[in-house]
Amino acid sequence: MPDLRDLYQEVILEHSKSPRNYRELKPADHKAEGYNPLCGDRFTIYLQMDGDSICDIGFQGSGCAISKASASMMTQALKGKTKEEAEKLFHRFHEVVTGKTESHGHEAELGKLAVFAGVSEFPLRVKCATLAWHTLEAAIEGKQEAVSTE
Amino acid sequence: MSTAVKLPARESAPHEMSDYDVERIRADFPILREKAHGHTLVYLDNAATSQKPKAVIDAIVGYYEHENANIHRGVHYLSERATEEFELARKSAQKFINAPRPSEIIFVRGATEAINLVAQTYGRTHVHAGDEVLITAMEHHSDIVPWQILCEQQGAKLKVAPINDRGELILAEFERLLTPRTKIVGVGHVSNALGTVNPVREIVTMAHARNIPVLVDGAQAAPHVAIDVQQLDCDFYAISGHKMYGPTGIGILYGKQALLEAMPPYQGGGDMISSVTFEKTSYNRVPHKFEAGTPDMAGAIGLRAAIEYLQKLGMNNIAAHEHQLLEYATRAVSAIPGVRIIGTARHKASVLSFVIEGVHPHDIGTILDQQGIAIRTGHHCAQPVMECFKIDATARASFGIYNTKEEIDALVRGIKKVQEVFA
């Protein structure tokens, strides 16, 4: 039986209470809104790019502890990363939260984001953990319409 | 409060209440013996869908094992038997809501289809450019979107009567919004997100004084209170079977005979016609005019079993039991520091929506689920209600005939556990 503490790790709870980079970037040259209609989570991701590099990133919105902590920790992990590095990290992150076996041994690449491994025991919460990342993808690609997890 | 919501104090003798044996009722519901995450299941999501008693499950199985055949057209033994059972289900639904005639009962997929049917038939013929449709701010999406679609098609306007901070309809505002342009009113009998019981009788009187018909969305009322459409004098009443211990995929639309007869058909197909040529088709009489194609016969027969089950318990006894549960739960949950109840109308039925300070409802749902407690979290298909209260979502516990005070105690322990995790 999955343990709640695997999902609600201290680090996750702490980030959900005091999210980092919780601000609108003015100006932001990339911006996208993500929405999870299942639970009403709604976030906007702001990006400032320098060529292919993310030089600044911020987010705002409301949602559950998992989605908010995920957005917060994502912004920390991505500052200074290139588009390609961000995409690779999302791929790894996605594998870990969905419990894909091929991610074993790659936890180190995720750094602090590895605390989200517990989400894989709670399939209904995978969308919460990945909402910010899907929104980031849209922001990088410059999509104007809101991203939905449904 | 609508006088059709019969409260037990007036209606049933005390000895009837002591006959309400919740343990015996629980034994009739096989699913309540299931475990969830290793815990005894505590099912408090009845407003989403209710569980089914053995009598309903048996009726469906019995239909397929002994009676299945297509209805209304066959000349053979089984078809005659299936037709008879299907029409008995209609009569049973008629009695359940005290409709004057069985022909005023149309079988549909659920309350959603019932409302769409009225919007697309009565609505398309009576609501025109510049007209208005009036609903309330506490409606379920199923009593909003069909009217929005209609208004868009016809160039009409959707008007919304506001609610106060307890979650009650502001009747004076509602009355003010009834204009010569208003062509139909849609109102929920009981709010799914807040539990508010609307004063349907008063609403109907106000609308009828201006010759405006009223559709009542009764999806959340049918399992909890005695319904009398003649006393309410509403023009349409919509019910979902699955919320009242019946099967999914079956529901009832009640409509006054004269209105139904004047309405064009909803869908075309078999059974809704009396004769078809390529030049001209004439339609069957009501209710068959609105029941195109082979209906959900097993569903109707299952629904009849659910109605009989509820009637055996007595709707007034059910209302009394659930009223006690709601009062007990309201007291216990509101006593927990940091918990706020959303929807504190003076007349409520079976719904306890709440938020916990510093915890998103989705997290509440997951943590309760780990303790075997099933509640609903989110906007409950009533996003405008959430906007009224300036929140994104709530956690909602909703009670049914088989719930107990012990289960509410479990909910209270669960909420405290949520607060521990987030402390």
Side-chain angles (χ1 to χ4, degrees), chain A residues 1-2 4 7-8 13 17 35 37 39 41 62-65 122 125 128, chain B residues 37 360 362-363 366-367 370 377-379 383 392-393 417 420-423:
Chain A
M1 196 173 75
L4 279 173
L7 182 65
Y8 294 107
L13 290 174
K17 284 171 197 160
Y35 179 50
C39 45
D41 293 352
S62 65
C64 64
F122 296 81
R125 306 306 298 273
C128 307
Chain B
H37 301 298
H360 190 277
H362 207 181
D363 296 311
T366 294
I367 297 170
Q370 288 301 303
T377 65
H379 52 59
Q383 284 178 314
D392 295 323
K417 168 89 181 170
E420 264 172 53
V421 172
F422 275 80

PDB file of all heavy atoms in Angstrom, chain A residues 1-2 4 7-8 13 17 35 37 39 41 62-65 122 125 128, chain B residues 37 360 362-363 366-367 370 377-379 383 392-393 417 420-423:
ATOM      1  N   MET A   1       0.848  -1.204   0.000  1.00  0.00           N
ATOM      2  CA  MET A   1       0.000   0.000   0.000  1.00  0.00           C
ATOM      3  C   MET A   1       0.882   1.252   0.000  1.00  0.00           C
ATOM      4  O   MET A   1       1.831   1.327   0.770  1.00  0.00           O
ATOM      5  CB  MET A   1      -0.875  -0.019   1.257  1.00  0.00           C
ATOM      6  CG  MET A   1      -2.025   0.943   1.167  1.00  0.00           C
ATOM      7  SD  MET A   1      -3.144   0.752   2.551  1.00  0.00           S
ATOM      8  CE  MET A   1      -2.255   1.495   3.870  1.00  0.00           C
ATOM      9  N   PRO A   2       0.584   2.219  -0.879  1.00  0.00           N
ATOM     10  CA  PRO A   2       1.424   3.413  -0.924  1.00  0.00           C
ATOM     11  C   PRO A   2       1.332   4.210   0.379  1.00  0.00           C
ATOM     12  O   PRO A   2       0.293   4.230   1.024  1.00  0.00           O
ATOM     13  CB  PRO A   2       0.855   4.211  -2.092  1.00  0.00           C
ATOM     14  CG  PRO A   2      -0.514   3.677  -2.323  1.00  0.00           C
ATOM     15  CD  PRO A   2      -0.531   2.280  -1.832  1.00  0.00           C
ATOM     16  N   LEU A   4       1.460   7.773   2.366  1.00  0.00           N
ATOM     17  CA  LEU A   4       1.238   9.203   2.109  1.00  0.00           C
ATOM     18  C   LEU A   4       2.522  10.010   2.193  1.00  0.00           C
ATOM     19  O   LEU A   4       2.695  11.002   1.496  1.00  0.00           O
ATOM     20  CB  LEU A   4       0.239   9.766   3.120  1.00  0.00           C
ATOM     21  CG  LEU A   4      -1.234   9.511   2.822  1.00  0.00           C
ATOM     22  CD1 LEU A   4      -2.076   9.964   3.996  1.00  0.00           C
ATOM     23  CD2 LEU A   4      -1.643  10.250   1.549  1.00  0.00           C
ATOM     24  N   LEU A   7       4.332  10.508  -0.966  1.00  0.00           N
ATOM     25  CA  LEU A   7       3.786  11.557  -1.836  1.00  0.00           C
ATOM     26  C   LEU A   7       4.094  12.933  -1.257  1.00  0.00           C
ATOM     27  O   LEU A   7       4.644  13.798  -1.921  1.00  0.00           O
ATOM     28  CB  LEU A   7       2.278  11.358  -1.990  1.00  0.00           C
ATOM     29  CG  LEU A   7       1.561  12.340  -2.913  1.00  0.00           C
ATOM     30  CD1 LEU A   7       2.027  12.173  -4.357  1.00  0.00           C
ATOM     31  CD2 LEU A   7       0.039  12.119  -2.845  1.00  0.00           C
ATOM     32  N   TYR A   8       3.688  13.087   0.000  1.00  0.00           N
ATOM     33  CA  TYR A   8       3.842  14.400   0.633  1.00  0.00           C
ATOM     34  C   TYR A   8       5.162  14.478   1.400  1.00  0.00           C
ATOM     35  O   TYR A   8       5.182  14.541   2.621  1.00  0.00           O
ATOM     36  CB  TYR A   8       2.648  14.686   1.547  1.00  0.00           C
ATOM     37  CG  TYR A   8       1.369  14.819   0.770  1.00  0.00           C
ATOM     38  CD1 TYR A   8       0.401  13.823   0.811  1.00  0.00           C
ATOM     39  CD2 TYR A   8       1.144  15.936  -0.040  1.00  0.00           C
ATOM     40  CE1 TYR A   8      -0.774  13.940   0.081  1.00  0.00           C
ATOM     41  CE2 TYR A   8      -0.023  16.049  -0.775  1.00  0.00           C
ATOM     42  CZ  TYR A   8      -0.979  15.054  -0.711  1.00  0.00           C
ATOM     43  OH  TYR A   8      -2.132  15.175  -1.443  1.00  0.00           O
ATOM     44  N   LEU A  13       6.068  19.597   0.590  1.00  0.00           N
ATOM     45  CA  LEU A  13       5.180  20.420   1.422  1.00  0.00           C
ATOM     46  C   LEU A  13       5.776  21.810   1.612  1.00  0.00           C
ATOM     47  O   LEU A  13       5.071  22.820   1.557  1.00  0.00           O
ATOM     48  CB  LEU A  13       4.954  19.742   2.773  1.00  0.00           C
ATOM     49  CG  LEU A  13       4.102  18.468   2.714  1.00  0.00           C
ATOM     50  CD1 LEU A  13       4.061  17.801   4.084  1.00  0.00           C
ATOM     51  CD2 LEU A  13       2.690  18.769   2.239  1.00  0.00           C
ATOM     52  N   LYS A  17       4.186  25.444   0.335  1.00  0.00           N
ATOM     53  CA  LYS A  17       3.856  26.546   1.245  1.00  0.00           C
ATOM     54  C   LYS A  17       4.614  27.819   0.899  1.00  0.00           C
ATOM     55  O   LYS A  17       4.074  28.920   1.019  1.00  0.00           O
ATOM     56  CB  LYS A  17       4.155  26.144   2.696  1.00  0.00           C
ATOM     57  CG  LYS A  17       3.096  25.192   3.256  1.00  0.00           C
ATOM     58  CD  LYS A  17       3.498  24.634   4.604  1.00  0.00           C
ATOM     59  CE  LYS A  17       2.684  23.408   4.955  1.00  0.00           C
ATOM     60  NZ  LYS A  17       3.328  22.583   5.979  1.00  0.00           N
ATOM     61  N   TYR A  35      -3.770  24.415 -17.360  1.00  0.00           N
ATOM     62  CA  TYR A  35      -5.007  24.228 -16.602  1.00  0.00           C
ATOM     63  C   TYR A  35      -5.312  22.743 -16.470  1.00  0.00           C
ATOM     64  O   TYR A  35      -5.240  21.993 -17.446  1.00  0.00           O
ATOM     65  CB  TYR A  35      -6.144  24.950 -17.341  1.00  0.00           C
ATOM     66  CG  TYR A  35      -7.494  24.815 -16.692  1.00  0.00           C
ATOM     67  CD1 TYR A  35      -7.672  25.075 -15.331  1.00  0.00           C
ATOM     68  CD2 TYR A  35      -8.614  24.436 -17.439  1.00  0.00           C
ATOM     69  CE1 TYR A  35      -8.917  24.959 -14.749  1.00  0.00           C
ATOM     70  CE2 TYR A  35      -9.862  24.323 -16.852  1.00  0.00           C
ATOM     71  CZ  TYR A  35     -10.013  24.579 -15.505  1.00  0.00           C
ATOM     72  OH  TYR A  35     -11.252  24.459 -14.926  1.00  0.00           O
ATOM     73  N   PRO A  37      -8.416  20.687 -15.582  1.00  0.00           N
ATOM     74  CA  PRO A  37      -9.845  20.826 -15.285  1.00  0.00           C
ATOM     75  C   PRO A  37     -10.329  19.864 -14.205  1.00  0.00           C
ATOM     76  O   PRO A  37     -11.340  20.116 -13.549  1.00  0.00           O
ATOM     77  CB  PRO A  37     -10.532  20.532 -16.619  1.00  0.00           C
ATOM     78  CG  PRO A  37      -9.497  20.104 -17.568  1.00  0.00           C
ATOM     79  CD  PRO A  37      -8.154  20.207 -16.940  1.00  0.00           C
ATOM     80  N   CYS A  39      -9.069  19.235 -11.289  1.00  0.00           N
ATOM     81  CA  CYS A  39      -9.065  19.791  -9.935  1.00  0.00           C
ATOM     82  C   CYS A  39      -8.988  21.311  -9.936  1.00  0.00           C
ATOM     83  O   CYS A  39      -8.936  21.933  -8.889  1.00  0.00           O
ATOM     84  CB  CYS A  39      -7.910  19.211  -9.127  1.00  0.00           C
ATOM     85  SG  CYS A  39      -6.377  19.160 -10.012  1.00  0.00           S
ATOM     86  N   ASP A  41      -6.516  23.195 -11.023  1.00  0.00           N
ATOM     87  CA  ASP A  41      -5.171  23.786 -10.942  1.00  0.00           C
ATOM     88  C   ASP A  41      -4.930  24.672 -12.156  1.00  0.00           C
ATOM     89  O   ASP A  41      -5.251  24.278 -13.278  1.00  0.00           O
ATOM     90  CB  ASP A  41      -4.091  22.684 -10.943  1.00  0.00           C
ATOM     91  CG  ASP A  41      -4.148  21.838  -9.684  1.00  0.00           C
ATOM     92  OD1 ASP A  41      -4.907  22.197  -8.762  1.00  0.00           O
ATOM     93  OD2 ASP A  41      -3.436  20.817  -9.628  1.00  0.00           O
ATOM     94  N   SER A  62      -2.691  28.908  -8.942  1.00  0.00           N
ATOM     95  CA  SER A  62      -3.146  28.194  -7.757  1.00  0.00           C
ATOM     96  C   SER A  62      -3.332  26.721  -8.086  1.00  0.00           C
ATOM     97  O   SER A  62      -3.633  26.366  -9.226  1.00  0.00           O
ATOM     98  CB  SER A  62      -4.469  28.782  -7.269  1.00  0.00           C
ATOM     99  OG  SER A  62      -5.461  28.564  -8.247  1.00  0.00           O
ATOM    100  N   GLY A  63      -3.151  25.904  -7.070  1.00  0.00           N
ATOM    101  CA  GLY A  63      -3.311  24.470  -7.292  1.00  0.00           C
ATOM    102  C   GLY A  63      -2.968  23.684  -6.049  1.00  0.00           C
ATOM    103  O   GLY A  63      -2.661  24.263  -5.000  1.00  0.00           O
ATOM    104  N   CYS A  64      -2.998  22.378  -6.176  1.00  0.00           N
ATOM    105  CA  CYS A  64      -2.733  21.506  -5.036  1.00  0.00           C
ATOM    106  C   CYS A  64      -1.244  21.542  -4.687  1.00  0.00           C
ATOM    107  O   CYS A  64      -0.433  22.119  -5.406  1.00  0.00           O
ATOM    108  CB  CYS A  64      -3.170  20.084  -5.363  1.00  0.00           C
ATOM    109  SG  CYS A  64      -2.223  19.354  -6.707  1.00  0.00           S
ATOM    110  N   ALA A  65      -0.907  20.907  -3.574  1.00  0.00           N
ATOM    111  CA  ALA A  65       0.473  20.916  -3.089  1.00  0.00           C
ATOM    112  C   ALA A  65       1.433  20.327  -4.114  1.00  0.00           C
ATOM    113  O   ALA A  65       2.527  20.847  -4.324  1.00  0.00           O
ATOM    114  CB  ALA A  65       0.560  20.140  -1.772  1.00  0.00           C
ATOM    115  N   PHE A 122       0.662   7.058  -6.966  1.00  0.00           N
ATOM    116  CA  PHE A 122      -0.651   7.727  -6.947  1.00  0.00           C
ATOM    117  C   PHE A 122      -0.989   8.186  -8.368  1.00  0.00           C
ATOM    118  O   PHE A 122      -0.860   9.369  -8.692  1.00  0.00           O
ATOM    119  CB  PHE A 122      -0.615   8.938  -6.004  1.00  0.00           C
ATOM    120  CG  PHE A 122      -0.368   8.579  -4.563  1.00  0.00           C
ATOM    121  CD1 PHE A 122       0.925   8.334  -4.100  1.00  0.00           C
ATOM    122  CD2 PHE A 122      -1.430   8.468  -3.675  1.00  0.00           C
ATOM    123  CE1 PHE A 122       1.150   7.990  -2.776  1.00  0.00           C
ATOM    124  CE2 PHE A 122      -1.215   8.129  -2.344  1.00  0.00           C
ATOM    125  CZ  PHE A 122       0.083   7.889  -1.890  1.00  0.00           C
ATOM    126  N   ARG A 125      -2.486  11.450  -9.450  1.00  0.00           N
ATOM    127  CA  ARG A 125      -1.806  12.708  -9.184  1.00  0.00           C
ATOM    128  C   ARG A 125      -0.690  13.020 -10.181  1.00  0.00           C
ATOM    129  O   ARG A 125      -0.009  14.031 -10.040  1.00  0.00           O
ATOM    130  CB  ARG A 125      -1.242  12.704  -7.756  1.00  0.00           C
ATOM    131  CG  ARG A 125      -2.279  12.386  -6.683  1.00  0.00           C
ATOM    132  CD  ARG A 125      -3.497  13.289  -6.756  1.00  0.00           C
ATOM    133  NE  ARG A 125      -3.193  14.682  -6.539  1.00  0.00           N
ATOM    134  CZ  ARG A 125      -3.140  15.262  -5.328  1.00  0.00           C
ATOM    135  NH1 ARG A 125      -3.406  14.563  -4.252  1.00  0.00           N
ATOM    136  NH2 ARG A 125      -2.856  16.536  -5.228  1.00  0.00           N
ATOM    137  N   CYS A 128      -1.016  16.314 -11.799  1.00  0.00           N
ATOM    138  CA  CYS A 128      -0.681  17.454 -10.932  1.00  0.00           C
ATOM    139  C   CYS A 128       0.816  17.725 -11.030  1.00  0.00           C
ATOM    140  O   CYS A 128       1.242  18.874 -11.118  1.00  0.00           O
ATOM    141  CB  CYS A 128      -1.042  17.146  -9.478  1.00  0.00           C
ATOM    142  SG  CYS A 128      -2.744  16.595  -9.257  1.00  0.00           S
TER     143      CYS A 128
ATOM    144  N   HIS B  37      -7.994   0.652  -0.212  1.00  0.00           N
ATOM    145  CA  HIS B  37      -6.643   0.787   0.349  1.00  0.00           C
ATOM    146  C   HIS B  37      -6.547   0.076   1.707  1.00  0.00           C
ATOM    147  O   HIS B  37      -5.939   0.601   2.644  1.00  0.00           O
ATOM    148  CB  HIS B  37      -6.259   2.265   0.503  1.00  0.00           C
ATOM    149  CG  HIS B  37      -6.284   3.014  -0.797  1.00  0.00           C
ATOM    150  ND1 HIS B  37      -5.477   2.691  -1.857  1.00  0.00           N
ATOM    151  CD2 HIS B  37      -7.032   4.065  -1.210  1.00  0.00           C
ATOM    152  CE1 HIS B  37      -5.724   3.504  -2.865  1.00  0.00           C
ATOM    153  NE2 HIS B  37      -6.670   4.343  -2.501  1.00  0.00           N
ATOM    154  N   HIS B 360      -5.124  22.354  -0.389  1.00  0.00           N
ATOM    155  CA  HIS B 360      -5.973  22.314  -1.573  1.00  0.00           C
ATOM    156  C   HIS B 360      -6.904  21.095  -1.496  1.00  0.00           C
ATOM    157  O   HIS B 360      -6.489  20.025  -1.053  1.00  0.00           O
ATOM    158  CB  HIS B 360      -5.080  22.220  -2.821  1.00  0.00           C
ATOM    159  CG  HIS B 360      -5.831  22.420  -4.101  1.00  0.00           C
ATOM    160  ND1 HIS B 360      -6.522  21.400  -4.716  1.00  0.00           N
ATOM    161  CD2 HIS B 360      -6.020  23.520  -4.869  1.00  0.00           C
ATOM    162  CE1 HIS B 360      -7.089  21.881  -5.819  1.00  0.00           C
ATOM    163  NE2 HIS B 360      -6.792  23.161  -5.927  1.00  0.00           N
ATOM    164  N   HIS B 362      -7.827  18.942  -3.557  1.00  0.00           N
ATOM    165  CA  HIS B 362      -7.317  17.730  -4.207  1.00  0.00           C
ATOM    166  C   HIS B 362      -6.423  16.931  -3.255  1.00  0.00           C
ATOM    167  O   HIS B 362      -6.443  15.703  -3.244  1.00  0.00           O
ATOM    168  CB  HIS B 362      -6.540  18.127  -5.464  1.00  0.00           C
ATOM    169  CG  HIS B 362      -6.521  17.056  -6.501  1.00  0.00           C
ATOM    170  ND1 HIS B 362      -5.864  17.191  -7.688  1.00  0.00           N
ATOM    171  CD2 HIS B 362      -7.080  15.824  -6.528  1.00  0.00           C
ATOM    172  CE1 HIS B 362      -6.008  16.086  -8.391  1.00  0.00           C
ATOM    173  NE2 HIS B 362      -6.750  15.247  -7.715  1.00  0.00           N
ATOM    174  N   ASP B 363      -5.647  17.634  -2.449  1.00  0.00           N
ATOM    175  CA  ASP B 363      -4.798  16.951  -1.465  1.00  0.00           C
ATOM    176  C   ASP B 363      -5.653  16.335  -0.354  1.00  0.00           C
ATOM    177  O   ASP B 363      -5.352  15.249   0.142  1.00  0.00           O
ATOM    178  CB  ASP B 363      -3.770  17.930  -0.890  1.00  0.00           C
ATOM    179  CG  ASP B 363      -2.796  18.428  -1.966  1.00  0.00           C
ATOM    180  OD1 ASP B 363      -2.262  17.588  -2.699  1.00  0.00           O
ATOM    181  OD2 ASP B 363      -2.598  19.657  -2.070  1.00  0.00           O
ATOM    182  N   THR B 366      -6.983  13.013  -1.718  1.00  0.00           N
ATOM    183  CA  THR B 366      -6.006  11.923  -1.750  1.00  0.00           C
ATOM    184  C   THR B 366      -5.763  11.359  -0.347  1.00  0.00           C
ATOM    185  O   THR B 366      -5.715  10.143  -0.160  1.00  0.00           O
ATOM    186  CB  THR B 366      -4.668  12.422  -2.340  1.00  0.00           C
ATOM    187  OG1 THR B 366      -4.873  12.752  -3.709  1.00  0.00           O
ATOM    188  CG2 THR B 366      -3.586  11.362  -2.245  1.00  0.00           C
ATOM    189  N   ILE B 367      -5.640  12.247   0.627  1.00  0.00           N
ATOM    190  CA  ILE B 367      -5.316  11.780   1.984  1.00  0.00           C
ATOM    191  C   ILE B 367      -6.515  11.037   2.593  1.00  0.00           C
ATOM    192  O   ILE B 367      -6.347  10.000   3.252  1.00  0.00           O
ATOM    193  CB  ILE B 367      -4.851  12.962   2.858  1.00  0.00           C
ATOM    194  CG1 ILE B 367      -3.555  13.547   2.255  1.00  0.00           C
ATOM    195  CG2 ILE B 367      -4.604  12.514   4.297  1.00  0.00           C
ATOM    196  CD1 ILE B 367      -3.111  14.861   2.867  1.00  0.00           C
ATOM    197  N   GLN B 370      -6.738   7.525   1.074  1.00  0.00           N
ATOM    198  CA  GLN B 370      -5.800   6.563   1.660  1.00  0.00           C
ATOM    199  C   GLN B 370      -6.359   5.932   2.931  1.00  0.00           C
ATOM    200  O   GLN B 370      -5.878   4.904   3.387  1.00  0.00           O
ATOM    201  CB  GLN B 370      -4.456   7.246   1.975  1.00  0.00           C
ATOM    202  CG  GLN B 370      -3.649   7.576   0.735  1.00  0.00           C
ATOM    203  CD  GLN B 370      -3.330   6.346  -0.093  1.00  0.00           C
ATOM    204  OE1 GLN B 370      -2.732   5.402   0.400  1.00  0.00           O
ATOM    205  NE2 GLN B 370      -3.761   6.320  -1.337  1.00  0.00           N
ATOM    206  N   THR B 377     -13.706  15.975  -4.812  1.00  0.00           N
ATOM    207  CA  THR B 377     -13.036  17.268  -4.707  1.00  0.00           C
ATOM    208  C   THR B 377     -13.055  17.927  -6.077  1.00  0.00           C
ATOM    209  O   THR B 377     -13.080  17.244  -7.086  1.00  0.00           O
ATOM    210  CB  THR B 377     -11.578  17.142  -4.253  1.00  0.00           C
ATOM    211  OG1 THR B 377     -10.840  16.444  -5.264  1.00  0.00           O
ATOM    212  CG2 THR B 377     -11.463  16.393  -2.945  1.00  0.00           C
ATOM    213  N   GLY B 378     -13.065  19.241  -6.092  1.00  0.00           N
ATOM    214  CA  GLY B 378     -13.051  19.951  -7.358  1.00  0.00           C
ATOM    215  C   GLY B 378     -14.148  20.995  -7.384  1.00  0.00           C
ATOM    216  O   GLY B 378     -14.587  21.471  -6.340  1.00  0.00           O
ATOM    217  N   HIS B 379     -14.601  21.313  -8.606  1.00  0.00           N
ATOM    218  CA  HIS B 379     -15.618  22.360  -8.714  1.00  0.00           C
ATOM    219  C   HIS B 379     -17.024  21.772  -8.814  1.00  0.00           C
ATOM    220  O   HIS B 379     -17.996  22.488  -8.912  1.00  0.00           O
ATOM    221  CB  HIS B 379     -15.311  23.288  -9.883  1.00  0.00           C
ATOM    222  CG  HIS B 379     -15.071  22.564 -11.185  1.00  0.00           C
ATOM    223  ND1 HIS B 379     -16.006  21.742 -11.755  1.00  0.00           N
ATOM    224  CD2 HIS B 379     -13.991  22.551 -11.996  1.00  0.00           C
ATOM    225  CE1 HIS B 379     -15.511  21.256 -12.885  1.00  0.00           C
ATOM    226  NE2 HIS B 379     -14.295  21.718 -13.046  1.00  0.00           N
ATOM    227  N   GLN B 383     -18.753  25.455 -11.709  1.00  0.00           N
ATOM    228  CA  GLN B 383     -17.683  26.455 -11.620  1.00  0.00           C
ATOM    229  C   GLN B 383     -18.190  27.838 -11.226  1.00  0.00           C
ATOM    230  O   GLN B 383     -17.540  28.511 -10.435  1.00  0.00           O
ATOM    231  CB  GLN B 383     -16.908  26.504 -12.944  1.00  0.00           C
ATOM    232  CG  GLN B 383     -15.971  25.313 -13.078  1.00  0.00           C
ATOM    233  CD  GLN B 383     -15.214  25.285 -14.387  1.00  0.00           C
ATOM    234  OE1 GLN B 383     -15.793  25.487 -15.454  1.00  0.00           O
ATOM    235  NE2 GLN B 383     -13.928  25.045 -14.324  1.00  0.00           N
ATOM    236  N   ASP B 392     -11.348  27.948  -5.757  1.00  0.00           N
ATOM    237  CA  ASP B 392     -11.159  27.147  -6.968  1.00  0.00           C
ATOM    238  C   ASP B 392     -11.950  25.855  -6.885  1.00  0.00           C
ATOM    239  O   ASP B 392     -12.359  25.286  -7.886  1.00  0.00           O
ATOM    240  CB  ASP B 392      -9.679  26.771  -7.142  1.00  0.00           C
ATOM    241  CG  ASP B 392      -8.824  27.997  -7.388  1.00  0.00           C
ATOM    242  OD1 ASP B 392      -9.305  28.904  -8.081  1.00  0.00           O
ATOM    243  OD2 ASP B 392      -7.695  28.044  -6.870  1.00  0.00           O
ATOM    244  N   ALA B 393     -12.094  25.371  -5.653  1.00  0.00           N
ATOM    245  CA  ALA B 393     -12.635  24.030  -5.493  1.00  0.00           C
ATOM    246  C   ALA B 393     -13.031  23.824  -4.033  1.00  0.00           C
ATOM    247  O   ALA B 393     -12.658  24.610  -3.167  1.00  0.00           O
ATOM    248  CB  ALA B 393     -11.566  23.009  -5.877  1.00  0.00           C
ATOM    249  N   LYS B 417      -6.237  14.095  10.104  1.00  0.00           N
ATOM    250  CA  LYS B 417      -5.033  13.501   9.523  1.00  0.00           C
ATOM    251  C   LYS B 417      -4.495  14.398   8.396  1.00  0.00           C
ATOM    252  O   LYS B 417      -3.282  14.597   8.265  1.00  0.00           O
ATOM    253  CB  LYS B 417      -5.384  12.093   8.991  1.00  0.00           C
ATOM    254  CG  LYS B 417      -4.350  11.450   8.126  1.00  0.00           C
ATOM    255  CD  LYS B 417      -3.358  10.658   8.936  1.00  0.00           C
ATOM    256  CE  LYS B 417      -2.316  10.049   8.009  1.00  0.00           C
ATOM    257  NZ  LYS B 417      -1.199   9.459   8.717  1.00  0.00           N
ATOM    258  N   GLU B 420      -2.658  17.087   9.950  1.00  0.00           N
ATOM    259  CA  GLU B 420      -1.359  16.609  10.473  1.00  0.00           C
ATOM    260  C   GLU B 420      -0.311  16.591   9.375  1.00  0.00           C
ATOM    261  O   GLU B 420       0.808  17.057   9.554  1.00  0.00           O
ATOM    262  CB  GLU B 420      -1.518  15.162  10.967  1.00  0.00           C
ATOM    263  CG  GLU B 420      -1.772  15.009  12.446  1.00  0.00           C
ATOM    264  CD  GLU B 420      -2.102  13.555  12.737  1.00  0.00           C
ATOM    265  OE1 GLU B 420      -1.311  12.656  12.351  1.00  0.00           O
ATOM    266  OE2 GLU B 420      -3.179  13.338  13.318  1.00  0.00           O
ATOM    267  N   VAL B 421      -0.710  16.028   8.198  1.00  0.00           N
ATOM    268  CA  VAL B 421       0.237  15.932   7.080  1.00  0.00           C
ATOM    269  C   VAL B 421       0.719  17.322   6.677  1.00  0.00           C
ATOM    270  O   VAL B 421       1.886  17.531   6.382  1.00  0.00           O
ATOM    271  CB  VAL B 421      -0.412  15.205   5.873  1.00  0.00           C
ATOM    272  CG1 VAL B 421       0.494  15.285   4.644  1.00  0.00           C
ATOM    273  CG2 VAL B 421      -0.704  13.757   6.211  1.00  0.00           C
ATOM    274  N   PHE B 422      -0.207  18.274   6.698  1.00  0.00           N
ATOM    275  CA  PHE B 422       0.136  19.621   6.240  1.00  0.00           C
ATOM    276  C   PHE B 422       0.563  20.563   7.372  1.00  0.00           C
ATOM    277  O   PHE B 422       0.729  21.753   7.146  1.00  0.00           O
ATOM    278  CB  PHE B 422      -1.038  20.222   5.460  1.00  0.00           C
ATOM    279  CG  PHE B 422      -1.025  19.812   4.016  1.00  0.00           C
ATOM    280  CD1 PHE B 422      -1.513  18.572   3.647  1.00  0.00           C
ATOM    281  CD2 PHE B 422      -0.500  20.641   3.050  1.00  0.00           C
ATOM    282  CE1 PHE B 422      -1.481  18.169   2.317  1.00  0.00           C
ATOM    283  CE2 PHE B 422      -0.466  20.249   1.724  1.00  0.00           C
ATOM    284  CZ  PHE B 422      -0.953  19.013   1.363  1.00  0.00           C
ATOM    285  N   ALA B 423       0.701  20.018   8.577  1.00  0.00           N
ATOM    286  CA  ALA B 423       1.040  20.878   9.731  1.00  0.00           C
ATOM    287  C   ALA B 423       2.409  21.527   9.541  1.00  0.00           C
ATOM    288  O   ALA B 423       3.307  20.921   8.992  1.00  0.00           O
ATOM    289  CB  ALA B 423       1.022  20.060  11.003  1.00  0.00           C
TER     290      ALA B 423
END
